[in-house]
Amino acid sequence: MPIQPVLTDDSAASRCPVGMDAVLQLLLESLPAGAALALCWRDWALGSGSCASDPRAPQLRRLAERALANDGGANSHADEPAHPRMQAHVWDSVDGSARIALAVHRGDPDEAVWPGWLPLAQALINSQLQASRADARVVSLEKSKRLQQALYEIADVAGADMEMQDMLRRVHAVVGSLMYAENCYIVQYDDQRRTVRFLYFADQNDPWNAGPEHEFGAEEMVNSMTFALLRHGQPLRGPSSVIRQKLGVVRDASHGPDSLDWLGVPMRRDDRVCGAIVVQSYDRPGCYADEDRALLGYVAQHILTALDRKHAHVELENRVESRTHELQRANRELQAEIMERKRSEKLQKALFRITELAITSDTLEHFYADVHVVVDGLLDARNFYIALLSDDAQMLQFPYSIDERDMMRKARRVSNGSTEYVIATGKPLLADRDGIDALGQQGVIVQHGPRSTSWLGVPLFRGDEVVGAVVVQSYDDDVRFTLHDQSLLTFVAHNIGIGLARQRAQENLRAAHAELEQRVEERTRELAQANTQLMAQISERLRAEQRLTHQATHDALTGLPNRPRLLDGLAAAIEQARQHEGASFAVIFLDLDRFKLVNDSMGHAAGDELLVEVSRRITTTAPPTALVSRLGGDEFAILLPCGEGSEDVREFAQRLLFVLGQHMWVGGRELFPSASIGIARWHARYRNGDELLRDADAAMYRAKEEGRDRYAMFDEEMREAAVQSLDLEADLRRAINHRDFVPYFQPITRLDDGQVVGYEALLRWQHERRGLLLPAEFISLGENSGLIEQVDWLLYEQVIEQVARGGEGYVSVNVSPRHFRSPDFADRLLGLCDKHGADTTRLRVEITEVALLDDAPRTLRMLRTLRQHGVLAQLDDFGTGFSALSYLHRFPISALKIDRSFIAGMGEDGRPESLALVRAILALASTLGIDTIAEGVETDEQRAALLELGCRFGQGYLLGRPAARIGGLVTA
């Protein structure tokens, strides 16, 4: 009974292995009659399959399949079937690679057969599966070998030196060794431009073929399966009609006949489709399986790699060829450049040599000969000459000429020769014999001397002017000059012209040198005479310089050393005192008392006579080692060497005062001058002479304060006072920066009813350590340092800000005479009012008589300007100065403030003269229509007396004390 194999649809490997039916037949023959068998297996290499015999095989096969599906272990028995003689056995192969189920129908029972038969059956079946598995592995290895050989051959073809079509033809043969590929084509796709090129086309039924260089666009291949495959991007297999239906492509006969089986695989580079390979069959349906599709896809990528490699190789060859041509061209250019550079170097050396010859050649003849040698090294210059025009341009001279046939080229008048032609045109002339003859026939030139076969002349320039020519010529037919020689000789001629100019310049220089030597000799004699005169002038100048030096270091009136000379002496004395212990000295500062009175009353001539006499007395009294100097005006200083003690200095000062106090006659009057003397002794703390003079000056002022006509020694008390003054000045500057000055307002009232009509702003300093300071403690320091003006402006700004806030009555501020010396005082004060929006009619200025008389015209202009804007002026401390009626009439004064010294003398115990003076001031003010304000009203008696005299307004502690704000109750 033949065995019926059963096939599954899993794969080709699931077919019944070759020989398994024979094994089953052998096992069936060993069983009793009526027996039947069914075999099922599941193998990792062969897949699943089954074999059966007998019409009952379907039932047995199902029993075997159920047993194979059972999870029981090896050699297990399936559930007993309904038929008692059917039984299934399941087991695993020895290596575990397969699971097997055998279903048996015993037929006639023969129990003695079965125990030995089942192991035999298992062994035979295992052996057959193992053999089939080995056969399948051999087939797979053979396929892999063929594929590997095909890939190697493709790689060899890609690397071989053959044309593209030959390479693709070999690739086609390789693909044909793997599958049916009689009809095959390979396309290349450009997805950017959407074009296709058929690199290779082989077809038995389709004679169409396009050249590989022709590109087909998308519009030309609308119904092409190939173009649809490229757009689809995935492998396709099957009949042409099926594929067209799947891709939506219309049948187009122009794209070739339909095939029974068609396999196309796209070629990819990264994620981009860049081509495809297609094989097809017209007479064998279903000849391509999935295995062929996978194989062709694998081969397609290697074909793409081979194509890329071939294209790269072709492109590389093209680039190498192009680069080779470029290198050959560059090499030719480089060789030409090298040759040109060598010629340039040779020319450069020649030009350098000509330049060197222009300097080193001792004569023009030698220069010409050496230049000929240089030119002969550049071109054939056996026949060479230099022609030059004479200074009047009438003659053509040949200072140098070497010629084979014209040994003596003589000068000639300028004519129309070839040399003169070059000079006249200023351009080179290169001509052979025929060219010269042609120029001669045209009447342009006339041939002089032997005829040459080749003639070359270039002009010689001096600046922009043609002065000659350089000519070479040949009598040999083998020597022909070229344009290159013309360019060469032109360069040389330019340098020859420069060399000639230098040679001429050197000759002129030698002539000038000889002339110069002669003139130098003559000039030397003249200088000797002038030198004698100059020495006399130098002597006179030295005497004049000595006089000027004396004048620069001495006083013109008295002849005594001046301040710079004294400072030099003090510097030397300080240096000596530092280096030698015990070398002490003192500085005496002397100032004449009431010297200004002499100048004002007797005139400056008398004052000068007094100063001369005083300087004589000081000089005769001082020891010879002392340095007496006049510092300026009536101030003198003496540098007096002395011992350690102070007695000798005091004795000298006393003696000097006695001598100065003796009577003298000046301007017809007998005078008894006196002086105040300050003395400062050397101390190691002094750094320079200015500090010594400063302290001696401070001691002199102490002597003046103590009554004049005396001396004072600078001591630690004075030093401390000076330091305090410096500290106070520093504090004053810081206070200005910190705005520590504030106004205090003292009311001005009507005396009859006590009504406040105005306020006087008084200056106060809120000192950071000493508290509130009155002006008496710092005003003199501010005046001396010039800082009082800044302080005043700080006060003015605060007062104007207060006025801008509103209120009743006016506010007056004290104005120093210093402010009236500034031309912009009035404008600046009014500018502050505008800035803060203050009412100028509520602001008044208080001035002293000194301000009126210091610069009357300027003061008058300022007061009028202020009055025009509503700012009135009050005269402060009236009665203590000149009290002149003229300025009361001239200046716009609105009120007089009677000084407190007169008010203090009024009352019950008052002085009659004070009462009379106040009465007179009130009468004067009433006559002029000017208000009066009494200062310093401190008692009711003074107030009553003033009312009785007719004084309307007053100011003082009785009426109100200064307060920090207007209308406030805070007292100073």
Side-chain angles (χ1 to χ4, degrees), residues 265 574-575 728 918:
V265 177
I574 291 173
E575 184 67 23
L728 187 60
V918 172

Side-chain angles (χ1 to χ4, degrees), residues 728-797:
L728 187 60
E729 182 178 348
D731 292 345
L732 186 62
R733 293 182 183 276
R734 284 196 300 274
I736 292 173
N737 294 332
H738 297 160
R739 305 177 71 88
D740 293 337
F741 296 95
V742 295
Y744 268 56
F745 301 94
Q746 187 174 23
I748 301 172
T749 65
R750 282 200 295 264
L751 293 178
D752 54 357
D753 58 3
Q755 178 65 36
V756 176
V757 298
Y759 298 87
E760 179 183 1
L762 302 174
L763 179 63
R764 296 292 186 268
W765 180 2
Q766 191 65 48
H767 196 279
E768 57 186 354
R769 296 188 306 275
R770 298 168 59 185
L772 196 65
L773 301 182
L774 299 177
E777 299 181 62
F778 62 86
I779 201 69
S780 60
L781 176 62
E783 290 283 354
N784 294 334
S785 63
L787 298 175
I788 193 63
E789 293 186 44
Q790 300 181 48
V791 174
D792 285 347
W793 281 110
L794 292 176
L795 178 72
Y796 298 159
E797 185 171 8

Side-chain angles (χ1 to χ4, degrees), residues 24 165 237 310 320 349 480 490 537 551 585 613 641 683 702 713 733 763 860-861 881 896 944 961:
L24 201 61
Q165 287 299 311
R237 176 173 63 90
K310 187 63 178 179
V320 168
K349 289 180 181 179
R480 299 279 181 168
T490 301
Q537 294 177 4
Q551 292 174 5
F585 63 93
E613 177 60 22
H683 191 276
R702 174 66 64 85
M713 297 284 294
R733 293 182 183 276
L763 179 63
L860 179 60
R861 287 194 302 271
L896 300 178
R961 291 177 175 269

Side-chain angles (χ1 to χ4, degrees), residues 64 67-68 73-78 88-92 99-102 122:
L68 186 64
N75 301 318
S76 62
H77 294 276
H89 302 274
V90 181
W91 73 92
D92 291 333
R99 186 170 180 79
I100 307 152
L102 177 65
Q122 290 178 348

Side-chain angles (χ1 to χ4, degrees), residues 21 60 126 296 377 478 592 630 634 774 920:
D21 53 350
L60 283 176
N126 287 341
L296 188 61
D478 296 334
L592 294 180
R630 181 189 175 205
D634 59 341
L774 299 177

Side-chain angles (χ1 to χ4, degrees), residues 887-933:
Y887 63 70
L888 290 178
H889 178 71
R890 292 170 54 199
F891 291 94
I893 304 298
S894 65
L896 300 178
K897 299 191 74 171
I898 304 173
D899 189 70
R900 66 180 60 249
S901 62
F902 303 128
I903 306 302
M906 299 177 65
E908 294 180 354
D909 299 330
R911 296 186 299 275
E913 59 273 16
S914 296
L915 186 63
L917 185 57
V918 172
R919 182 182 290 111
I921 293 173
L922 292 171
L924 174 63
S926 177
T927 303
L928 296 175
I930 300 175
D931 289 335
T932 54
I933 303 171

